[in-house]
Amino acid sequence: MELTFSMECAAMEADGVTEKSVPSAEGAEAPRPEAPLVILASPDGLSRQMYAHYLEDMGFCLWEARDAEEAASLYASAPAALVVFDGNLGEEDMVQALAAIRMFEGEQALSAAPFLLLARDDMQAERIAKAGCDEALILPVVRRDLRAMARWLISPTPERPVLSADRIT
């Protein structure tokens, strides 16, 4: 059996900005998306593009962040329906961003957005869960699993999605 797929990647500038990245201008307010907003945070531009590719035809507005702090800033400009953290971000940075977003939600009387960690391993998933992350998928992430988990976290149903074996904590 032969299995093939294709993926289009946009060229990045030196700082890792892609066409899907949201420019951060001091004092400027980001546009408010009409579709559910998903913020994808990863230090690696190619990973951000891959995750965006996995989710792009699901009707979400996708914003990319280069780090956890940028994800928190983007969230403060337009609260997201889901925040996805790549496990390759610094753990302390993820914890601080989670805390900043939860504080912002409290100040603005917003409901808590779900967080999904794409964890390097089970131990990282446990540590970040203790800081308030809702769910985790273990890297490498399968497209079907990321799509199912994103859909479920944004519009929860009583039944958890069925995922590939050994992929979830």
Side-chain angles (χ1 to χ4, degrees), residues 73-144:
S73 294
L74 290 174
Y75 189 91
S77 68
L82 174 64
V83 179
V84 180
F85 283 151
D86 182 332
N88 293 309
L89 294 166
E91 288 189 23
E92 187 61 33
D93 294 337
M94 286 188 279
V95 169
Q96 289 175 358
L98 270 160
I101 289 172
R102 293 297 185 231
M103 183 179 299
F104 176 79
E105 290 167 337
E107 291 169 353
Q108 301 298 315
L110 299 170
S111 57
F115 282 86
L116 174 61
L117 173 64
L118 307 179
R120 291 187 313 255
D121 55 40
D122 290 329
M123 292 173 52
Q124 183 186 42
E126 289 176 25
R127 287 190 300 272
I128 303 302
K130 288 178 183 174
C133 189
D134 300 284
E135 296 290 337
L137 294 171
I138 305 301
L139 292 170
V141 174
V142 177
R143 180 177 190 251
R144 182 179 74 84

Side-chain angles (χ1 to χ4, degrees), residues 27-86:
E29 190 170 314
R32 302 252 181 237
E34 292 184 22
L37 174 60
V38 176
I39 297 173
L40 304 168
S42 174
D44 178 55
L46 189 55
S47 293
R48 288 192 308 271
Q49 287 186 21
M50 182 180 67
Y51 303 144
H53 175 73
Y54 284 0
L55 301 174
E56 72 185 353
D57 65 346
M58 295 183 68
F60 303 141
C61 178
L62 303 170
W63 287 1
E64 297 176 12
R66 292 167 285 210
D67 56 40
E69 182 181 357
E70 184 177 30
S73 294
L74 290 174
Y75 189 91
S77 68
L82 174 64
V83 179
V84 180
F85 283 151
D86 182 332

Side-chain angles (χ1 to χ4, degrees), residues 17-30:
V17 174
T18 68
E19 61 188 38
K20 291 185 180 179
S21 299
V22 178
S24 56
E26 288 296 318
E29 190 170 314

